[in-house]
Amino acid sequence: MALGPGEQGPWTRLSIGARVVLAAVLALVATVLVTWVAERSALRWRADLTADAENTLHPATSKVLAELPREIEIDLFFSLPDAPFQLVGREVQDRVRRLARLFADQSGGRVRVEDHDLSDRTRLAPRSQARRHELGLTGIEPGGLAAVSAGGRRQLLRLRGDFSDLDPGNADPRQGPVRPPRVAGFRGEEALLAAILKVSEEHAPLVVFTKGHGELDLESSAERGAALLVRELLAQGFRTRAWDGNAGAPFPADADLAVVLGAEQRFTAPEFEALADYVERGGRLLVALSPRTVDGAASVEELLGRFGARPRPGGIVCTPMPSATGALQTGIPQCAYAVVGHEGMPAQNPVTDPLRTAGQRVMFYASRAVDRAPAPRSARVLDLLRSSPESWFETPAGGADRYDYAPDPTSERTRFTLAMQVVFPPEPGRAPVASGDPARPEARVLAVGSVDALANHLVVTNRDFIANAFDWLASREYRVRVDSREREARRLDLADPAPVARVHTVAVVLLPGLCVLLGLATWRKRRSTR
């Protein structure tokens, strides 16, 4: 209704303006209130209508997300998968994206997800470049990865091996029936949950490095230094400390694991007994061997031999290297490198199984062979990494530490053990170590034949092996079991007449018939209203 001339005074206009402003304020308040309510998971009602419950997390996952002690960031760096996994790789990427958003949605704001565009590697967004630098990502493999981080800690999850198992299928009819690539197994929820548990853990295990016996320098950035190893351990949520027992300092009582990086001198008797006592009471020990043999009393060889792993003295393992034509050649220094693929890794092992399923390799340089020795009672000894069958054990020719990298006719050609695991219960009647795992009281020893495998020049190559090895030693496998819900196959088998007949009935008979009935009903209704 229009107002008369006498009714359009200043007070009337002010009243109308006030009502407009009030309506705008109320609308803004309502919008903020609705947004606030939408973000409160306790006030939200959700219904998962997908056939395979794709949008429902496992109760164990929901419990962890509800009790997160700190904020978690998930950065997705997905790129084009390599052949032949382009299609199935993108399917896994899409599933991980949806799963990450679901984690963020159900965490009450404690999980943040950022999806970085890698479609043009030459023009990455400044934010993506900054995050790569912060997370220490020097390179991203085909298919990409996800980085889960919190408070300086980070875990990297790869498309193959961590999130999924991909079957390449068979494109060659000469090798059998043609099969397209497929997703053989998807465990995205389990992988993300385990990574979140690692980076959000309150306790940071203490890694104690021995010092003063020719070990790698923990602060050196040189090729054979260990600065990158220390940086990786800090990013994985460990603490590090050096222990020099030469001056009589006691072994740290709060150590979670002890590490000997290529000692080339013998320990003092008190040092040796402190290390041995620590392990025998349920401690954890990693020894990476120098190519130089020390041997004798209080040596690293005697220490490992005490627990069932005896380094072979006086030589290194060499492997023929392929030439430009593909032929294997010897007599070159590159033969000192040993590349271990899936055929040299045991299955169902927390250290190597993720590497096997992802098709990754571990590289050693100038590695010594490790043989089995008499082990403590009830010990389990396992060959962890083995060289190729063409390898040979070479001893110095013409003087100490000089090799010709050529096998003799009598050289033993076999798979040599390059890394060995030993697990045994603590000695009875002795006080267990304070830092041991009360749920699984056992000593764990890992003998690695090559200290260079943990040195700066190979840390990036062996990053996953190193992370798995230290996690296993510190009882941080985090094998949280989340039941996998595989997508239901929704394919029409044209060779089966029954489903084809049903599709024909619905598409050719029922749907057209329903349209005809609706048309007749509409026509009759219109005639009756005339």
Side-chain angles (χ1 to χ4, degrees), residues 109-442:
R110 287 181 291 271
V111 175
R112 296 196 301 269
V113 179
E114 193 167 356
D115 195 352
H116 301 272
D117 183 10
L118 301 185
S119 57
D120 186 356
R121 296 291 189 93
T122 62
R123 300 179 60 183
L124 288 181
R127 170 61 181 170
S128 298
Q129 293 179 349
R131 285 301 291 162
R132 284 187 59 177
H133 179 72
E134 292 171 8
L135 296 168
L137 302 180
T138 56
I140 297 177
E141 62 195 44
L145 52 83
V148 181
S149 59
R153 304 180 181 181
R154 60 120 170 88
Q155 289 289 316
L156 304 181
L157 302 173
R158 287 164 175 78
L159 207 65
R160 296 180 59 196
D162 294 321
F163 285 127
S164 66
D165 296 325
L166 301 182
D167 179 7
N170 177 37
D172 188 354
R174 296 172 298 179
Q175 303 295 327
V178 175
R179 292 181 294 105
R182 67 184 182 92
V183 181
F186 181 78
R187 48 183 176 275
E189 183 177 350
E190 183 175 337
L192 282 176
L193 179 59
I196 288 174
L197 286 172
K198 284 184 181 180
V199 300
S200 62
E201 182 187 28
E202 294 295 333
H203 173 63
L206 175 62
V207 180
V208 175
F209 292 91
T210 61
K211 180 182 178 182
H213 313 89
E215 295 95 336
L216 299 188
D217 187 349
L218 301 181
E219 299 179 358
S220 173
S221 299
E223 185 176 275
R224 297 194 78 249
L228 285 183
L229 173 63
V230 172
R231 188 185 306 172
E232 280 295 313
L233 293 177
L234 294 176
Q236 297 290 335
F238 290 92
R239 295 174 292 144
T240 62
R241 185 188 306 172
W243 172 60
D244 188 351
N246 285 318
F251 187 78
D254 57 343
D256 289 277
L257 58 129
V259 178
V260 182
L261 286 181
E264 297 183 347
Q265 301 171 13
R266 299 175 185 177
F267 297 104
T268 63
E271 286 178 307
F272 183 87
E273 290 304 323
L275 287 171
D277 175 76
Y278 167 73
V279 177
E280 289 169 352
R281 292 188 296 115
R284 313 296 169 85
L285 173 68
L286 184 149
V287 175
L289 294 164
S290 167
R292 297 182 180 180
T293 302
V294 181
D295 223 343
S299 64
V300 290
E301 288 85 353
E302 184 187 14
L303 182 65
L304 286 175
R306 188 162 176 168
F307 304 123
R310 179 68 181 173
R312 188 175 297 191
I316 62 174
V317 176
C318 291
T319 307
M321 299 299 292
S323 64
T325 62
L328 296 179
Q329 59 180 335
T330 60
I332 56 176
Q334 287 79 4
C335 291
Y337 284 96
V339 180
V340 183
H342 66 88
E343 68 282 349
M345 304 177 185
Q348 303 301 317
N349 186 287
V351 177
T352 57
D353 197 49
L355 307 178
R356 293 179 75 256
T357 55
Q360 296 187 51
R361 299 181 176 184
V362 181
M363 181 175 289
F364 282 17
Y365 176 76
S367 177
R368 295 169 62 182
V370 183
D371 298 325
R372 300 195 180 198
R377 64 176 186 85
S378 304
R380 304 190 306 275
V381 183
L382 177 67
D383 294 346
L384 188 64
L385 295 174
R386 306 184 73 192
S387 65
S388 68
E390 297 85 12
S391 303
W392 73 92
F393 187 75
E394 178 165 321
T395 55
D401 301 332
R402 293 182 57 187
Y403 300 91
D404 58 14
Y405 307 106
D408 296 328
T410 58
S411 296
E412 180 184 6
R413 308 293 288 266
T414 186
R415 289 188 180 275
F416 294 93
T417 300
L418 306 181
M420 183 176 289
Q421 277 178 322
V422 184
V423 179
F424 57 91
E427 287 194 1
R430 300 177 64 179
V433 295
S435 59
D437 183 0
R440 185 165 32 190
E442 61 185 14

